[in-house]
């Protein structure tokens, strides 16, 4: 029997600039999580990255690979022993970016967690990424922040959805 | 209005129950040498989405997720991919093949390391067109990594009633494949 899903779990709009967004006590009742971010970094120049960390783990327990296009060339980069996952989001001068992270099988405890990412910033990069958090624990907390440690601009939005199992 | 990747309905849409779970399969002990099949797919949606977390049973290397529609294993498919492996970006295609390959997933030599993928099958009930498929997939670990965007075509105007997913030699234990319907 089909069951409706894609359930909103959080919906945040920043009324003022903020250094991060933290989602805690994430329900364990779903199969996947989808995080949709839309906004800007306040970094003055250069391309910022939308970073995430899981369950307050800031150690080098992540690895990622990304593929980018900047309008003139395509490139790929990978890092093992990273401290988070990252997708390009431009800076304060760009028109804004959106990012979708898909946390697959987030509540399972029989595997490391794989996160697929898509980032779109018309001023800088389009990005596809895959990140692995080398931990079999279920995900219950997400910390989302600009990698530059500047701020998210006022008006930035973030939504989290649960996909049924 | 938020438009999530891979889904052609907006969150908070005024259409109730527009994204529905149809079925989930989780591979048990011993693996599934023949992969997973979704049969008798309801014809009441506009699009389908398959969400995958898998390891293959292939011992040689990584494996694509192999997609078959209506159990058609004849050379009625074609596909393209754009792939990044951490150092280079590459692209490839096959025009007359017996499956749609979605790049790429690790095998069981990489303990706890699974790849993930999301496949959209668009207009799956429409009998006026061939079926178009798109996907994103990726993994990291076990000494390699990859993220890829894929597209595929099944050259058949029949409505899709069955989906088979496998890897080379089948799917390992704890692999999970879920099928969702999207109303339009």
């Amino acid at each position: 029997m089909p069951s409706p899903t894609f359930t909103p779990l959080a919906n945040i709009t920043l009324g003022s600039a903020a250094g991060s967004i933290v989602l805690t006590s994430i329900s364990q009742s779903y199969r996947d999580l989808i995080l949709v971010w839309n906004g800007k970094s306040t970094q003055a120049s250069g391309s910022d990255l939308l970073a995430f960390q899981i369950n307050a783990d800031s150690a080098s327990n992540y690895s990622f690979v990304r593929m980018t296009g900047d309008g003139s060339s395509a490139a790929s980069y990978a890092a093992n022993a990273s401290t988070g996952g990252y997708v390009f989001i431009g800076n304060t001068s760009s028109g804004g970016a959106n990012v979708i992270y898909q946390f697959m099988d987030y509540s399972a405890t029989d595997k490391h967690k794989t996160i697929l990412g898509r980032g779109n910033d018309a001023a800088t990069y389009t990005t596809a990424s895959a990140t692995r958090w080398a931990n079999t624990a279920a995900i219950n907390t997400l910390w989302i922040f600009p990698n530059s440690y500047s701020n998210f601009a006022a008006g930035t939005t973030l939504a989290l959805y649960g996909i049924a199992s | 209005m938020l438009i999530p990747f891979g889904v052609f309905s907006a969150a908070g849409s005024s259409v109730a129950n527009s994204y529905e779970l149809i079925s989930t399969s989780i591979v048990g002990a011993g693996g599934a040498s023949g992969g997973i099949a979704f049969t008798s797919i309801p014809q009441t949606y506009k699009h389908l989405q398959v969400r995958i977390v898998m390891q293959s049973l292939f011992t040689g290397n990584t494996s694509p997720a192999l997609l078959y529609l209506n159990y058609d294993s004849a050379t009625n498919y074609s596909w393209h991919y754009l792939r990044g492996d951490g150092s280079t970006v590459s692209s490839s295609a096959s025009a007359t093949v017996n499956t749609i390959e979605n790049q790429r997933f690790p095998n069981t030599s990489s303990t706890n390391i699974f790849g993930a993928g999301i496949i959209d099958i668009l207009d799956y009930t429409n009998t006026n067109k061939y079926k178009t498929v798109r996907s994103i997939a990726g993994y990291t670990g076990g000494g390699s990594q990859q993220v890829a965007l894929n597209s595929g075509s099944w050259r058949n105007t029949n409505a899709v009633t069955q989906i088979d997913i496998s890897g080379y030699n089948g799917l390992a234990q704890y692999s999970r494949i879920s099928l969702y319907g999207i109303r339009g």
Side-chain angles (χ1 to χ4, degrees):
Chain A
M1 179 71 175
S3 57
T5 183
F6 220 110
T7 305
L9 302 179
N11 200 340
I12 298 165
T13 300
L14 296 180
S16 59
S20 65
I21 296 172
V22 183
L23 304 170
T24 62
S25 302
I26 296 172
S27 170
Q28 299 298 295
S29 301
Y30 300 94
R31 178 70 63 181
D32 303 324
L33 296 173
I34 298 179
L35 186 147
V36 182
W37 179 95
N38 191 302
K40 296 175 67 170
S41 159
T42 60
Q43 178 171 276
S45 62
S47 294
D48 207 343
L49 296 150
L50 185 69
F52 67 83
Q53 290 180 343
I54 297 170
N55 290 8
D57 184 358
S58 59
S60 301
N61 294 319
Y62 306 79
S63 57
F64 69 85
V65 56
R66 64 173 178 246
M67 176 171 64
T68 58
D70 66 3
S72 62
S73 63
S76 185
Y77 175 77
N80 294 312
S82 172
T83 56
Y86 308 93
V87 165
F88 284 108
I89 56 171
N91 57 48
T92 191
S93 301
S94 69
N98 65 67
V99 174
I100 298 173
Y101 282 128
Q102 312 246 5
F103 297 81
M104 306 293 285
D105 255 8
Y106 80 102
S107 59
T109 57
D110 51 23
K111 55 178 69 83
H112 294 172
K113 304 306 178 288
T114 301
I115 302 96
L116 299 175
R118 282 282 283 114
N120 302 287
D121 180 354
T124 57
Y125 298 97
T126 186
T127 309
S129 71
T131 304
R132 179 172 60 91
W133 180 49
N135 196 311
T136 57
I139 297 174
N140 54 60
T141 302
L142 291 172
W143 182 38
I144 314 297
F145 57 99
N147 188 58
S148 64
Y149 292 100
S150 55
N151 291 324
F152 293 139
T156 294
T157 62
L158 183 148
L160 185 70
Y161 301 89
I163 305 299
S165 56
Chain B
M1 181 174 289
L2 302 174
I3 311 296
F5 170 81
V7 180
F8 290 86
S9 65
S13 167
S14 60
V15 177
N17 303 338
S18 56
Y19 184 93
E20 295 183 349
L21 171 67
I22 298 172
S23 182
T24 288
S25 290
I26 299 174
V27 179
S33 60
I36 285 176
F38 298 107
T39 62
S40 302
I41 294 172
Q43 300 294 293
T44 51
Y45 301 99
K46 186 67 171 177
H47 312 293
L48 298 173
Q49 183 173 87
V50 182
R51 300 177 70 89
I52 300 170
V53 180
M54 76 174 239
Q55 284 181 337
S56 80
L57 293 174
F58 188 52
T59 56
N61 205 330
T62 60
S63 166
L66 306 174
L67 173 69
Y68 304 87
L69 301 179
N70 290 12
Y71 205 57
D72 181 2
S73 59
T75 53
N76 295 317
Y77 304 88
S78 57
W79 52 261
H80 286 77
Y81 70 69
L82 178 67
R83 181 170 73 185
D85 65 5
S87 59
T88 60
V89 178
S90 62
S91 182
S92 185
S94 285
T96 309
V97 287
N98 65 352
T99 182
I100 295 174
E101 295 190 2
N102 298 275
Q103 311 287 334
R104 208 165 170 95
F105 295 81
N107 59 35
T108 55
S109 65
S110 306
T111 304
N112 291 322
I113 298 174
F114 286 67
I118 301 170
I119 303 174
D120 292 322
I121 303 169
L122 309 174
D123 244 0
Y124 75 105
T125 65
N126 195 310
T127 57
N128 297 309
K129 58 185 71 167
Y130 294 162
K131 305 306 176 286
T132 301
V133 170
R134 68 166 196 170
S135 73
I136 181 172
Y139 75 93
T140 72
S144 65
Q145 58 277 317
Q146 178 182 266
V147 62
L149 302 174
N150 309 265
S151 62
S153 173
W154 179 45
R155 292 186 297 279
N156 193 307
T157 58
N158 288 344
V160 175
T161 59
Q162 179 168 332
I163 295 171
D164 288 77
I165 302 276
S166 190
Y168 293 153
N169 295 0
L171 302 177
Q173 184 183 16
Y174 306 128
S175 295
R176 182 273 294 192
I177 302 180
S178 301
L179 177 66
Y180 299 84
I182 301 161
R183 297 193 184 278

